[in-house]
PDB file of all heavy atoms in Angstrom:
ATOM      1  N   TYR B 370      21.770 119.059 -29.424  1.00 89.00           N
ATOM      2  CA  TYR B 370      20.357 118.607 -29.746  1.00 89.00           C
ATOM      3  C   TYR B 370      19.235 119.552 -29.331  1.00 89.00           C
ATOM      4  O   TYR B 370      18.238 119.744 -30.005  1.00 89.00           O
ATOM      5  CB  TYR B 370      20.210 117.204 -29.286  1.00 89.00           C
ATOM      6  CG  TYR B 370      18.802 116.716 -29.577  1.00 89.00           C
ATOM      7  CD1 TYR B 370      18.516 116.198 -30.763  1.00 89.00           C
ATOM      8  CD2 TYR B 370      17.774 116.549 -28.644  1.00 89.00           C
ATOM      9  CE1 TYR B 370      17.156 115.581 -31.125  1.00 89.00           C
ATOM     10  CE2 TYR B 370      16.599 116.049 -28.897  1.00 89.00           C
ATOM     11  CZ  TYR B 370      16.170 115.646 -30.157  1.00 89.00           C
ATOM     12  OH  TYR B 370      14.989 115.161 -30.453  1.00 89.00           O
ATOM     13  N   ASN B 371      19.349 120.009 -28.038  1.00 87.00           N
ATOM     14  CA  ASN B 371      18.444 121.055 -27.477  1.00 87.00           C
ATOM     15  C   ASN B 371      18.165 122.171 -28.486  1.00 87.00           C
ATOM     16  O   ASN B 371      16.996 122.726 -28.618  1.00 87.00           O
ATOM     17  CB  ASN B 371      18.844 121.470 -26.228  1.00 87.00           C
ATOM     18  CG  ASN B 371      18.886 120.545 -25.201  1.00 87.00           C
ATOM     19  OD1 ASN B 371      18.253 119.402 -25.248  1.00 87.00           O
ATOM     20  ND2 ASN B 371      19.544 120.778 -24.038  1.00 87.00           N
ATOM     21  N   THR B 372      19.245 122.616 -29.193  1.00 87.00           N
ATOM     22  CA  THR B 372      19.273 123.713 -30.060  1.00 87.00           C
ATOM     23  C   THR B 372      18.878 123.390 -31.417  1.00 87.00           C
ATOM     24  O   THR B 372      17.978 124.053 -32.226  1.00 87.00           O
ATOM     25  CB  THR B 372      20.499 124.544 -30.033  1.00 87.00           C
ATOM     26  OG1 THR B 372      20.961 124.793 -28.693  1.00 87.00           O
ATOM     27  CG2 THR B 372      20.547 125.676 -31.004  1.00 87.00           C
ATOM     28  N   THR B 373      19.354 122.320 -32.074  1.00 86.00           N
ATOM     29  CA  THR B 373      19.277 121.916 -33.445  1.00 86.00           C
ATOM     30  C   THR B 373      18.091 120.970 -33.557  1.00 86.00           C
ATOM     31  O   THR B 373      17.633 120.776 -34.788  1.00 86.00           O
ATOM     32  CB  THR B 373      20.580 121.356 -34.022  1.00 86.00           C
ATOM     33  OG1 THR B 373      20.813 120.071 -33.315  1.00 86.00           O
ATOM     34  CG2 THR B 373      21.742 122.264 -33.744  1.00 86.00           C
ATOM     35  N   HIS B 374      17.705 120.142 -32.580  1.00 84.00           N
ATOM     36  CA  HIS B 374      16.762 119.056 -32.604  1.00 84.00           C
ATOM     37  C   HIS B 374      17.179 117.967 -33.608  1.00 84.00           C
ATOM     38  O   HIS B 374      16.323 117.370 -34.219  1.00 84.00           O
ATOM     39  CB  HIS B 374      15.368 119.607 -33.018  1.00 84.00           C
ATOM     40  CG  HIS B 374      14.824 120.608 -31.882  1.00 84.00           C
ATOM     41  ND1 HIS B 374      13.870 120.199 -31.023  1.00 84.00           N
ATOM     42  CD2 HIS B 374      15.004 121.849 -31.696  1.00 84.00           C
ATOM     43  CE1 HIS B 374      13.509 121.119 -30.184  1.00 84.00           C
ATOM     44  NE2 HIS B 374      14.280 122.168 -30.585  1.00 84.00           N
ATOM     45  N   THR B 375      18.411 117.887 -33.817  1.00 84.00           N
ATOM     46  CA  THR B 375      18.930 116.671 -34.585  1.00 84.00           C
ATOM     47  C   THR B 375      20.339 116.325 -34.041  1.00 84.00           C
ATOM     48  O   THR B 375      21.018 117.019 -33.428  1.00 84.00           O
ATOM     49  CB  THR B 375      19.158 116.975 -35.983  1.00 84.00           C
ATOM     50  OG1 THR B 375      19.613 115.797 -36.784  1.00 84.00           O
ATOM     51  CG2 THR B 375      20.133 118.114 -36.241  1.00 84.00           C
ATOM     52  N   ARG B 376      20.639 115.065 -34.144  1.00 86.00           N
ATOM     53  CA  ARG B 376      21.948 114.393 -33.758  1.00 86.00           C
ATOM     54  C   ARG B 376      22.650 113.853 -34.835  1.00 86.00           C
ATOM     55  O   ARG B 376      23.691 113.261 -34.743  1.00 86.00           O
ATOM     56  CB  ARG B 376      21.731 113.396 -32.607  1.00 86.00           C
ATOM     57  CG  ARG B 376      21.138 113.822 -31.276  1.00 86.00           C
ATOM     58  CD  ARG B 376      21.212 112.724 -30.298  1.00 86.00           C
ATOM     59  NE  ARG B 376      20.567 111.527 -30.743  1.00 86.00           N
ATOM     60  CZ  ARG B 376      19.319 111.197 -30.305  1.00 86.00           C
ATOM     61  NH1 ARG B 376      18.535 111.971 -29.589  1.00 86.00           N
ATOM     62  NH2 ARG B 376      18.821 109.993 -30.885  1.00 86.00           N
ATOM     63  N   MET B 377      22.077 113.989 -36.100  1.00 85.00           N
ATOM     64  CA  MET B 377      22.677 113.264 -37.258  1.00 85.00           C
ATOM     65  C   MET B 377      23.868 113.984 -37.813  1.00 85.00           C
ATOM     66  O   MET B 377      23.822 115.224 -38.047  1.00 85.00           O
ATOM     67  CB  MET B 377      21.710 113.032 -38.278  1.00 85.00           C
ATOM     68  CG  MET B 377      20.476 112.261 -37.840  1.00 85.00           C
ATOM     69  SD  MET B 377      20.828 110.661 -37.097  1.00 85.00           S
ATOM     70  CE  MET B 377      21.374 109.850 -38.589  1.00 85.00           C
ATOM     71  N   VAL B 378      24.951 113.356 -38.009  1.00 86.00           N
ATOM     72  CA  VAL B 378      26.159 113.885 -38.603  1.00 86.00           C
ATOM     73  C   VAL B 378      25.823 114.465 -40.002  1.00 86.00           C
ATOM     74  O   VAL B 378      26.467 115.614 -40.298  1.00 86.00           O
ATOM     75  CB  VAL B 378      27.279 112.863 -38.622  1.00 86.00           C
ATOM     76  CG1 VAL B 378      28.469 113.445 -39.349  1.00 86.00           C
ATOM     77  CG2 VAL B 378      27.724 112.429 -37.275  1.00 86.00           C
ATOM     78  N   THR B 379      25.032 113.917 -40.736  1.00 83.00           N
ATOM     79  CA  THR B 379      24.819 114.382 -42.010  1.00 83.00           C
ATOM     80  C   THR B 379      23.796 115.593 -42.091  1.00 83.00           C
ATOM     81  O   THR B 379      23.671 116.148 -43.150  1.00 83.00           O
ATOM     82  CB  THR B 379      24.086 113.318 -42.826  1.00 83.00           C
ATOM     83  OG1 THR B 379      22.865 112.873 -42.176  1.00 83.00           O
ATOM     84  CG2 THR B 379      25.080 112.087 -42.972  1.00 83.00           C
ATOM     85  N   ASP B 380      23.257 116.018 -40.998  1.00 83.00           N
ATOM     86  CA  ASP B 380      22.244 117.078 -40.905  1.00 83.00           C
ATOM     87  C   ASP B 380      22.864 118.484 -40.696  1.00 83.00           C
ATOM     88  O   ASP B 380      22.202 119.469 -40.849  1.00 83.00           O
ATOM     89  CB  ASP B 380      21.226 116.891 -39.906  1.00 83.00           C
ATOM     90  CG  ASP B 380      20.204 115.708 -40.353  1.00 83.00           C
ATOM     91  OD1 ASP B 380      20.315 115.356 -41.563  1.00 83.00           O
ATOM     92  OD2 ASP B 380      19.383 115.280 -39.494  1.00 83.00           O
ATOM     93  N   MET B 381      24.100 118.506 -40.231  1.00 85.00           N
ATOM     94  CA  MET B 381      24.689 119.914 -39.751  1.00 85.00           C
ATOM     95  C   MET B 381      26.156 119.910 -40.118  1.00 85.00           C
ATOM     96  O   MET B 381      26.824 118.888 -40.219  1.00 85.00           O
ATOM     97  CB  MET B 381      24.315 120.046 -38.268  1.00 85.00           C
ATOM     98  CG  MET B 381      24.823 118.918 -37.423  1.00 85.00           C
ATOM     99  SD  MET B 381      24.311 119.136 -35.746  1.00 85.00           S
ATOM    100  CE  MET B 381      24.341 117.522 -35.085  1.00 85.00           C
ATOM    101  N   SER B 382      26.577 121.132 -40.192  1.00 85.00           N
ATOM    102  CA  SER B 382      27.988 121.458 -40.316  1.00 85.00           C
ATOM    103  C   SER B 382      28.185 122.956 -39.821  1.00 85.00           C
ATOM    104  O   SER B 382      27.226 123.650 -39.777  1.00 85.00           O
ATOM    105  CB  SER B 382      28.481 121.202 -41.732  1.00 85.00           C
ATOM    106  OG  SER B 382      27.880 122.222 -42.542  1.00 85.00           O
ATOM    107  N   GLY B 383      29.454 123.199 -39.485  1.00 85.00           N
ATOM    108  CA  GLY B 383      29.770 124.656 -39.066  1.00 85.00           C
ATOM    109  C   GLY B 383      29.222 124.996 -37.733  1.00 85.00           C
ATOM    110  O   GLY B 383      29.058 126.266 -37.473  1.00 85.00           O
TER     111      GLY B 383
END
Side-chain angles (χ1 to χ4, degrees):
Y370 178 78
N371 292 342
T372 302
T373 64
H374 295 264
T375 182
R376 297 188 303 262
M377 304 305 294
V378 172
T379 54
D380 287 349
M381 51 184 159
S382 66

